[in-house]
Amino acid sequence: MRNAAKYFHDVVARHGGYAWHHNATNLGERWGDIQLDGDQIMIQSPGTSDVTIAFVEAALADPATPALKTYATDAAMALRHGQVKSGGWRLYADFKPTPTLRACYRNTTASCGCGGCTTTSYDDQVTQNALIAMMRTDQLLGFANPAISEASSYARGKVETSQFPTNGGFPQGFTGPVAARAALPASYPPPSLDTSCGLAHCYDNVYTHEYWDDPTLNDNLASAFVEMLYWAREVYPAQAATYQDMLTAFGGFLRRAQLPQPQPAWAQQYDLQMQPRWARSWEAPAIAGQESQDVMWALLRLYQLDAGVPANRAAVGTALAYLENVDHAGNMLIHRYIELDDTSPSNIGFYTVKLGGYPVRFSPAPPTYQNYAWEVPSQLAALRAEYDRLASDTTVMKRSCQQLRADTAQAVDTAVNNEKWLTTYSPGGPRSGATPGDYLDTSTFVRNLRTLAEFVTRTTTDCVAWNY
């Protein structure tokens, strides 16, 4: 754990931050979702936010090694550099005096005139994970680093104003305080077109405002919001009541966002009337399989934190009873989109699209829009298991000691020179245009470092029988 953390910090970091993929033989070749230069880092997972959290957990597991605190501090300071004036973060941070990845940074003289660069992003859990990293580093350092404490405080203040009053949901991003929305229950939109789109129910893609200003669940934001507010409550007890109120309000929003029968699951995006709406041109009003699974994890987490709100768990039970009957690929996959009001037990997902993005028909053929997860792994069995477990046990779900030991062995055994993990890519990976060969992947580092930290911690708590 110490060796891997030191190597990643001392050798891989640039300005204290990280990309997603780092060429192991040419560390100047660095990739996020685009190629990055030596002055650019990824905030978005699995980027600098995740590395910061991994360093924090390593430092907590091994307080006798002060360097681990230094690594966490340096990564958190890189995040601080990327904080934008609206309060949160965007996908990247650029350390050049004149950034080419422009954003309205708080702590530099960067221009704020570029399109969208004043917006804090919640999409892909960017701000949620970055704020968790800042808060946990602030706590690790005993709230004694003024720069990190101030960045955390500033972000939390802005986040408080980004939750829709009354409604309880969050937009995909924000530049300032959001206006109140009614606490309406979700309902089905009336079809506004004929069946010319190729589906049984077609909806006009015409709105007077942008989808990113409406309540969203896109890309697993529900569980990210719950964890962000949970850590705010735990790290700053003087403001715990505020963050608990926000958690409660968000739980209410998630329950109201559940569609009624016959499809009691969740959409990706909602409009002013809390009806599923179009987002991008290929993101139709529909039941969203991936987002529904994430909402269920969020509701189960809320119930685990407060069993006094049984409605959170009950909503999951209702959704499972529906989705478990929507079989796809032998229950191994779930459709990203399921047509509204289609009660057929199978083949109700759609993902083939035509030019312009509208779904055109059900199809087993490869989707014509490739850069998207049209089918995602089904987590319904795991959700059912956790739903059942919480009926009698509301402790935090942990991996078993046996699984932790196996995961730790895998991390140790695959470490090269006991300090790094390599992923070999053929042509075409990890990103189009990347040089084939060995890469240091941030996601692998984070997963393994957190496993090692958990192993070190739990061998002195609940997994004490091991002799290692």
Side-chain angles (χ1 to χ4, degrees):
M1 183 178 73
R2 295 168 184 156
N3 289 349
K6 177 177 173 59
Y7 183 88
F8 218 63
H9 172 270
D10 292 356
V11 178
V12 180
R14 296 292 182 268
H15 299 280
Y18 303 87
W20 289 349
H21 316 279
H22 314 79
N23 189 307
T25 56
N26 173 20
L27 287 169
E29 183 179 359
R30 306 165 66 253
W31 293 83
D33 61 345
I34 58 173
Q35 188 166 9
L36 305 175
D37 65 33
D39 292 316
Q40 297 165 340
I41 64 172
M42 290 300 301
I43 305 295
Q44 179 187 345
S45 293
T48 302
S49 300
D50 306 72
V51 176
T52 307
I53 293 168
F55 283 150
V56 167
E57 293 180 357
L60 292 171
D62 185 15
T65 304
L68 294 168
K69 281 189 177 182
T70 300
Y71 306 159
T73 302
D74 289 349
M77 290 299 289
L79 293 176
R80 177 181 179 271
H81 177 90
Q83 188 175 26
V84 295
K85 291 184 178 179
S86 54
W89 286 265
R90 297 176 60 76
L91 275 66
Y92 322 97
D94 195 323
F95 287 77
K96 290 189 288 293
T98 303
T100 50
L101 294 176
R102 298 169 65 192
C104 189
Y105 298 120
R106 285 188 69 207
N107 300 299
T108 71
T109 57
S111 169
C112 295
C114 54
C117 67
T118 61
T119 302
T120 284
S121 178
Y122 281 137
D123 199 27
D124 293 311
Q125 308 99 47
V126 171
T127 288
Q128 299 93 314
N129 287 343
L131 181 51
I132 290 170
M134 296 300 286
M135 293 187 293
R136 296 194 66 182
T137 306
D138 195 18
Q139 184 181 47
L140 174 72
L141 301 177
F143 311 100
N145 184 305
I148 291 174
S149 292
E150 190 278 335
S152 171
S153 177
Y154 185 88
R156 286 181 284 116
K158 298 298 185 181
V159 164
E160 286 179 38
T161 68
S162 72
Q163 185 177 29
F164 292 116
T166 308
N167 174 276
F170 289 89
Q172 203 164 82
F174 65 91
T175 57
V178 299
R181 296 277 185 104
L184 300 173
S187 60
Y188 296 99
S192 52
L193 298 172
D194 57 25
T195 61
S196 59
C197 69
L199 299 174
H201 304 282
C202 299
Y203 305 91
D204 201 4
N205 191 0
V206 178
Y207 299 92
T208 59
H209 61 284
E210 295 290 356
Y211 69 88
W212 52 75
D213 293 325
D214 280 342
T216 189
L217 298 171
N218 181 50
D219 285 339
N220 302 337
L221 297 191
S223 57
F225 282 127
V226 170
E227 290 308 307
M228 175 184 69
L229 296 173
Y230 162 77
W231 280 108
R233 187 189 73 180
E234 296 303 299
V235 173
Y236 304 102
Q239 297 166 268
T242 294
Y243 302 124
Q244 181 57 54
D245 287 346
M246 294 177 73
L247 275 169
T248 300
F250 187 59
F253 164 76
L254 294 180
R255 296 193 305 274
R256 289 190 299 274
Q258 186 173 24
L259 273 293
Q261 295 288 355
Q263 293 174 290
W266 289 265
Q268 175 181 303
Q269 197 79 39
Y270 295 84
D271 64 14
L272 289 166
Q273 289 74 44
M274 282 297 289
Q275 294 178 338
R277 64 160 286 175
W278 286 93
R280 291 173 292 185
S281 64
W282 60 90
E283 296 171 320
I287 295 296
Q290 174 174 284
E291 282 76 12
S292 290
Q293 292 185 136
D294 181 65
V295 171
M296 287 189 281
W297 285 120
L299 287 168
L300 291 176
R301 174 67 162 146
L302 286 169
Y303 181 77
Q304 183 268 316
L305 292 171
D306 181 7
V309 187
N312 287 330
R313 180 173 174 270
V316 175
T318 303
L320 283 172
Y322 160 61
L323 289 170
E324 286 170 337
N325 288 307
V326 182
D327 178 68
H328 180 52
N331 293 323
M332 297 301 293
L333 297 174
I334 191 168
H335 290 292
R336 183 67 184 263
Y337 297 115
I338 300 168
E339 188 178 4
L340 292 175
D341 276 341
D342 189 327
T343 57
S344 171
S346 62
N347 195 35
I348 63 174
F350 51 87
Y351 55 82
T352 298
V353 295
K354 64 183 180 182
L355 189 64
Y358 286 75
V360 63
R361 67 181 187 276
F362 303 128
S363 175
T368 56
Y369 187 89
Q370 297 291 343
N371 188 29
Y372 206 69
W374 299 98
E375 301 167 308
V376 298
S378 173
Q379 302 170 41
L380 297 179
L383 282 159
R384 171 63 70 179
E386 179 65 356
Y387 171 83
D388 291 341
R389 183 188 75 89
L390 288 172
S392 58
D393 179 6
T394 57
T395 59
V396 176
M397 179 174 58
K398 297 179 181 179
R399 61 179 135 183
S400 69
C401 292
Q402 181 181 15
Q403 185 64 55
L404 177 58
R405 184 177 183 127
D407 293 343
T408 301
Q410 189 275 338
V412 171
D413 291 346
T414 58
V416 177
N417 297 329
N418 202 32
E419 65 180 5
K420 59 189 175 185
W421 295 278
L422 299 177
T423 301
T424 302
Y425 289 106
S426 59
R431 294 281 152 179
S432 177
T435 304
D438 290 338
Y439 280 79
L440 299 153
D441 278 354
T442 299
S443 59
T444 302
F445 169 80
V446 168
R447 182 181 66 252
N448 287 338
L449 195 75
R450 295 185 74 178
T451 292
L452 295 172
E454 183 180 346
F455 182 88
V456 170
T457 299
R458 290 180 64 188
T459 50
T460 61
T461 56
D462 59 319
C463 296
V464 296
W466 298 340
N467 179 12
Y468 68 97

